[in-house]
Amino acid sequence: MDLRVASAITLFLSLTLLPGTSCVPSPTPTGTTTSSPESPFALDRPVAEINLDASLNEISGLTLLDSVTLGAVQDERGRLYQLPLSTGQIASVSDFHGRGDFEGVERVGPDLWALQSDGDLFLLDDDGEDARKFETPLSTAFDTEGLAYDVARHRLLVACKEYPGDGLDGFRAVYAFDLETETLQPRPALLLDLRADARLRTFKPSAIAFHPQTSWWLLLSSTTPMLAALDTSSQYVGAWPLPEARLPQPEGLAVLPSGDLLIASEGRPARIARFSYVPPTTRSPD
């Protein structure tokens, strides 16, 4: 085995408004800035990288199934892949739907949910081979690509890559699906103001995840490889570029218990990279 690959494996182991509504969204535009606080993630130097099997060249969603296993989907078929964190090799494959553009996957306790680009959600059974479909008022115009679990409110968050909803030009929207009522809330749960930072002009969300250590909602952009952060009140925190040579089309995002990030990128080959979380109190002085 190549020494670099072996090292990477070792490190991996150790380490709105919907159409027809008219309410004014919050927050209001905050003006344009070009600066962000220092990133708490070492995004310029992944501590590990793993290339994926060719069947995952179109990887589009990532979640932690347990402490040693990842779940992934790709955007051509309703198919769940299970990948050991240690190698990234495919351990099992389960078909829960036929052809479809599946863009997100998220574990919620014992349950597993998948997101299609038209806004429909799928609740998978225990073996991942069947799914119950939930239609939402979202559509392909929204191009829903990100799926995350908001544990504090017991809801799924759905990030829209394109159309944010009526009256929301200049924003990217994240809607909430209430898991108790099994309904989508009509107003966005989070809004990213693209005018808050000049670097956000081409930002199109492809994934979303909560980072407990910072209490930030992290949004990934695939068209311009970038990571942005909002706080829990939807206020803009900052945005930071990703290494495009390593992650040409980042589509999947998961947060490890340590606070480290796993980012999956489409490609030939597709790959998963791990980036360290570096709390301010543990950083070395310049």
Side-chain angles (χ1 to χ4, degrees), residues 27-34 171 193-198 200-201 236:
T28 54
T30 57
T32 300
T33 179
T34 56
F171 291 90
D193 181 3
L194 301 182
R195 293 157 289 189
D197 192 318
L200 297 177
R201 290 172 184 164
Y236 175 67

Side-chain angles (χ1 to χ4, degrees), residues 145-164:
E145 289 213 0
L147 185 64
Y149 178 47
D150 183 353
V151 63
R153 296 174 175 83
H154 191 49
R155 61 185 183 176
L156 290 169
L157 293 187
V158 178
C160 303
K161 187 176 183 179
E162 297 289 351
Y163 177 63

Side-chain angles (χ1 to χ4, degrees), residues 112-141:
L112 199 63
W113 290 80
L115 171 70
Q116 199 165 235
S117 61
D118 61 359
D120 289 344
L121 291 160
F122 293 75
L123 175 60
L124 282 59
D125 66 7
D126 291 341
D127 59 13
E129 294 185 351
D130 289 296
R132 179 184 171 196
K133 180 179 177 180
F134 295 81
E135 295 185 354
T136 75
L138 302 173
S139 66
T140 54

Side-chain angles (χ1 to χ4, degrees), residues 16-21 117 137-145 158-175 188 191 194 203-205:
T16 133
L17 299 180
L18 297 179
T21 62
S117 61
L138 302 173
S139 66
T140 54
F142 292 82
D143 197 3
T144 54
E145 289 213 0
V158 178
C160 303
K161 187 176 183 179
E162 297 289 351
Y163 177 63
D166 289 352
L168 294 178
D169 290 347
F171 291 90
R172 295 293 179 215
V174 178
Y175 287 88
L191 286 170
L194 301 182
F203 194 97
K204 295 188 176 185

Side-chain angles (χ1 to χ4, degrees), residues 46-205:
V47 295
E49 293 178 278
I50 290 180
N51 291 341
L52 300 176
D53 184 84
S55 61
L56 281 167
N57 283 348
E58 303 294 324
I59 189 170
S60 56
L62 198 64
T63 192
L64 284 173
L65 297 180
D66 55 42
S67 61
V68 295
T69 313
L70 289 168
V73 292
Q74 43 97 337
D75 61 13
E76 296 178 338
R77 190 174 184 85
R79 180 170 286 168
L80 174 68
Y81 296 82
Q82 294 195 33
L83 316 171
L85 269 169
S86 57
T87 65
Q89 295 178 356
I90 296 172
S92 68
V93 180
S94 304
D95 286 335
F96 61 87
H97 194 69
R99 294 194 61 82
D101 185 6
F102 286 87
E103 296 288 347
V105 61
E106 183 73 353
R107 183 176 65 84
V108 178
D111 296 328
L112 199 63
W113 290 80
L115 171 70
Q116 199 165 235
S117 61
D118 61 359
D120 289 344
L121 291 160
F122 293 75
L123 175 60
L124 282 59
D125 66 7
D126 291 341
D127 59 13
E129 294 185 351
D130 289 296
R132 179 184 171 196
K133 180 179 177 180
F134 295 81
E135 295 185 354
T136 75
L138 302 173
S139 66
T140 54
F142 292 82
D143 197 3
T144 54
E145 289 213 0
L147 185 64
Y149 178 47
D150 183 353
V151 63
R153 296 174 175 83
H154 191 49
R155 61 185 183 176
L156 290 169
L157 293 187
V158 178
C160 303
K161 187 176 183 179
E162 297 289 351
Y163 177 63
D166 289 352
L168 294 178
D169 290 347
F171 291 90
R172 295 293 179 215
V174 178
Y175 287 88
F177 181 83
D178 189 301
L179 289 168
E180 292 295 333
T181 63
E182 298 178 346
T183 58
L184 191 84
Q185 301 303 300
R187 293 183 59 118
L190 299 170
L191 286 170
L192 175 64
D193 181 3
L194 301 182
R195 293 157 289 189
D197 192 318
R199 292 168 298 182
L200 297 177
R201 290 172 184 164
T202 57
F203 194 97
K204 295 188 176 185

